[in-house]
C-alpha cells in the first residue's frame, strides 16, 4: 500500500495577521506549521471577518477574557483555502480523499471525538472543543494553516471562493432554521441585516416564502429587500404577535424584546446574534402563556456539506454580501472597514494569497 507523502510540505516562515494586544492588529512572521498525523496544510484564499473578530480585536470576547485566547492571536474562522500538502495518514476518517490542489472550507469547531457529547453524536456540544482562529487553534489569516483532515469539507468546482467563504456563517443560520422547524407557510421575521441576517433572509425566503426584516442600516435593509424580504422595518415597528419564526441575528440586547414582541402564539425564536449584555425586563410568563420557544443556536457543525450544496444550487448567493477583499498586509484597514456602518455590504475579507 502506498501512503501519500508529505512531499511538498513547505518549511520556513510565513506571514500571519494577528491581534497583538487590545485594539492592535499586526503582521507577524511565524514558522510554517510542521506536518502532524491526520492533518493537512492549507493555503487560505479568502478569510471573512465578523463581529467575533472585532471582539477579539477589542479584547471583549469571552475567549480573551477567560484566558483561552492569549495574544498574539492569529484570527480567521470563516475561510476557503487550497490544500498544499497532506500528512501521511490524513486521508483516514474523513470520508473524503484530500489531495493537494483541493479547495476546502474548514470547520470552526474541532470536536475532541472522545467526550460524552461526542460519543452521543452531538459534536456541536463537545466539552473539549478547539475553535479555529478563536482558541486552541491558529486561524486562517495567514499564508498557511494546518487543519485536521476530518474538519474540512471539499468545495465543489462551481462554488466561487466568495461563496465558500460564507459557508461558515451560513451553517449556523441553517442550524437555527432547522431547530425552529422553519417550514413553508411560516411567517418569518429576521432581525439584523449583517451577514447572518442577510443569509437568513435568503434562506427563509425560499424555505418559508414570507419573510420580513428589521434593521438600522439603509444598505442592509435595501439588500434584504433585493434578497426577498417583503417588508423592511426599523426596530420596534414590525407588527406585534405576527410571526411564527423570528431569527434574532443582530446581537443587540434590546432586539430580543422586539423578537419576543413580534412572535405569535406558539412561535419559535432562533437567537443567533451573541448579545454581550443582559436583556433586562424579560417576562418569562409572557413566554409561557404564549407558548413561545427560544432556541440558542451555538453553531452548525454538521451543516457544512449541506450549505455547500445550497450555494451550488444557487439557493444562496454571495452577491451583495461582500464590501471588499484586502490583502493580509492591510488588516487594520479591513478592521476599520468592518466597523464602518456605512459600508456597502456586511462582510469584509482578507486574501492571504495576494502578493
Ligand atoms: Zn464569524
Ligand atoms: Zn468532544
Amino acid at each position: 500500500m502506498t501512503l501519500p507523502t508529505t512531499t511538498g510540505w513547505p518549511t520556513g516562515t510565513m506571514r500571519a495577521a494577528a491581534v497583538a494586544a487590545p485594539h492592535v492588529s499586526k503582521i507577524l512572521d511565524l514558522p510554517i506549521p510542521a506536518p502532524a498525523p491526520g492533518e493537512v496544510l492549507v493555503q487560505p484564499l479568502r478569510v471573512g471577518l465578523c463581529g467575533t473578530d472585532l471582539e477579539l480585536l477589542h479584547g471583549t470576547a469571552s475567549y480573551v477574557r477567560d484566558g483561552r485566547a492569549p495574544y498574539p492571536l492569529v484570527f480567521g474562522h470563516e475561510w476557503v483555502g487550497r490544500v498544499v500538502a497532506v500528512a501521511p495518514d490524513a486521508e483516514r476518517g474523513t470520508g473524503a480523499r484530500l489531495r493537494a490542489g483541493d479547495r476546502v472550507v474548514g470547520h470552526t469547531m474541532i470536536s475532541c471525538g472522545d467526550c460524552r457529547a461526542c460519543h452521543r453524536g452531538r459534536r456541536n456540544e463537545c466539552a473539549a472543543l478547539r475553535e479555529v482562529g478563536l482558541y486552541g487553534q491558529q486561524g486562517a489569516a495567514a499564508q498557511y494553516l494546518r487543519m485536521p483532515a476530518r474538519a474540512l469539507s471539499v468545495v465543489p468546482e462551481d462554488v466561487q471562493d466568495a461563496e465558500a467563504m460564507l459557508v461558515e456563517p451560513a451553517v449556523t443560520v441553517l442550524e437555527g432554521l432547522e431547530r425552529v422547524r422553519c417550514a413553508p407557510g411560516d411567517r418569518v421575521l429576521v432581525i439584523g441585516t449583517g451577514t447572518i441576517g442577510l443569509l437568513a433572509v435568503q434562506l427563509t425566503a425560499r424555505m418559508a416564502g414570507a419573510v420580513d426584516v428589521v434593521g438600522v442600516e439603509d444598505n442592509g435593509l435595501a439588500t434584504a429587500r433585493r434578497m426577498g424580504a417583503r417588508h423592511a422595518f426599523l426596530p420596534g415597528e414590525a407588527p406585534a404577535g405576527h410571526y411564527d419564526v423570528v431569527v434574532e441575528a443582530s446581537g443587540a440586547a434590546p432586539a430580543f424584546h422586539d423578537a419576543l414582541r413580534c412572535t405569535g402564539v406558539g412561535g419559535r425564536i432562533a437567537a443567533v446574534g451573541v448579545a454581550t449584555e443582559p436583556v433586562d425586563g424579560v417576562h418569562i410568563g409572557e413566554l409561557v402563556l404564549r407558548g413561545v420557544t427560544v432556541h440558542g443556536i451555538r453553531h452548525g457543525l454538521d451543516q457544512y456539506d449541506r450549505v455547500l450544496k445550497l450555494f451550488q444550487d444557487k439557493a444562496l448567493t454571495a452577491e451583495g454580501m461582500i464590501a471588499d477583499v484586502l490583502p493580509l498586509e492591510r488588516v487594520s484597514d479591513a478592521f476599520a472597514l468592518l466597523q464602518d456602518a456605512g459600508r456597502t455590504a456586511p462582510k469584509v475579507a482578507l486574501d492571504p494569497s495576494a502578493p
Side-chain angles (χ1 to χ4, degrees):
M1 183 173 126
T2 31
L3 287 171
T5 67
T6 46
T7 312
W9 194 294
T11 53
T13 60
M14 65 177 187
R15 311 276 281 160
V19 178
H23 315 293
V24 180
S25 60
K26 206 169 169 169
I27 299 295
L28 304 176
D29 280 311
L30 296 175
I32 295 173
E39 309 233 332
V40 305
L41 195 69
V42 177
Q43 178 190 37
L45 302 170
R46 291 280 186 284
V47 182
L49 301 180
C50 78
T52 303
D53 298 302
L54 278 181
E55 288 191 19
L56 295 174
L57 177 68
H58 296 318
T60 53
S62 59
Y63 323 106
V64 175
R65 284 183 299 178
D66 67 16
R68 275 181 292 171
Y71 296 137
L73 174 70
V74 179
F75 54 87
H77 59 277
E78 306 177 1
W79 59 273
V80 55
R82 197 176 290 285
V83 174
V84 291
V86 179
D89 67 345
E91 291 192 343
R92 288 209 294 268
T94 63
R97 289 178 66 83
L98 289 171
R99 290 204 167 83
D102 285 345
R103 261 185 332 140
V104 290
V105 290
H107 308 176
T108 299
M109 285 183 169
I110 301 179
S111 54
C112 74
D114 213 26
C115 70
R116 180 167 172 267
C118 284
H119 283 305
R120 298 169 92 200
R122 298 162 79 149
R123 301 191 302 153
N124 225 21
E125 299 163 14
C126 173
L129 282 176
R130 288 182 290 147
E131 294 197 68
V132 178
L134 302 176
Y135 58 93
Q137 163 80 31
Q138 178 211 309
Q143 284 179 297
Y144 296 105
L145 168 67
R146 190 184 67 203
M147 282 288 293
R150 65 185 166 84
L152 298 173
S153 293
V154 174
V155 178
E157 216 154 87
D158 47 354
V159 173
Q160 308 297 310
D161 288 344
E163 297 169 325
M165 183 187 85
L166 294 172
V167 167
E168 199 274 350
V171 299
T172 300
V173 175
L174 188 59
E175 177 81 10
L177 296 178
E178 281 201 349
R179 292 273 300 281
V180 298
R181 303 184 320 280
C182 183
D186 277 339
R187 294 170 175 170
V188 180
L189 181 68
V190 172
I191 303 178
T193 60
T195 301
I196 295 273
L198 291 178
L199 289 167
V201 167
Q202 291 188 42
L203 276 181
T204 54
R206 287 199 158 231
M207 290 168 80
V211 53
D212 295 342
V213 66
V214 173
V216 292
E217 284 157 16
D218 292 343
N219 284 335
L221 290 170
T223 306
R225 291 293 301 271
R226 280 200 303 279
M227 290 173 165
R230 295 186 183 187
H231 302 284
F233 298 107
L234 293 171
E237 289 185 350
H242 181 74
Y243 298 94
D244 304 299
V245 167
V246 177
V247 179
E248 203 308 277
S250 74
F256 189 78
H257 284 292
D258 217 12
L260 198 51
R261 185 184 63 80
C262 294
T263 306
V265 172
R268 294 91 69 195
I269 298 173
V272 184
V274 183
T276 50
E277 289 150 32
V279 181
D280 291 332
V282 172
H283 287 280
I284 298 299
E286 207 184 322
L287 285 178
V288 175
L289 293 178
R290 286 162 54 214
V292 169
T293 310
V294 181
H295 297 266
I297 308 304
R298 193 180 201 192
H299 187 52
L301 184 51
D302 294 310
Q303 308 283 8
Y304 282 85
D305 291 320
R306 291 184 57 208
V307 167
L308 280 164
K309 184 81 169 63
L310 288 168
F311 276 107
Q312 195 174 19
D313 293 345
K314 310 293 173 211
L316 280 169
T317 177
E319 230 166 277
M321 298 292 296
I322 299 169
D324 208 352
V325 181
L326 299 170
L328 207 56
E329 272 66 21
R330 291 186 60 197
V331 56
S332 39
D333 293 338
F335 275 125
L337 181 57
L338 190 62
Q339 292 172 91
D340 176 358
R343 67 192 186 281
T344 54
K347 186 56 70 188
V348 176
L350 292 170
D351 176 0
S353 69

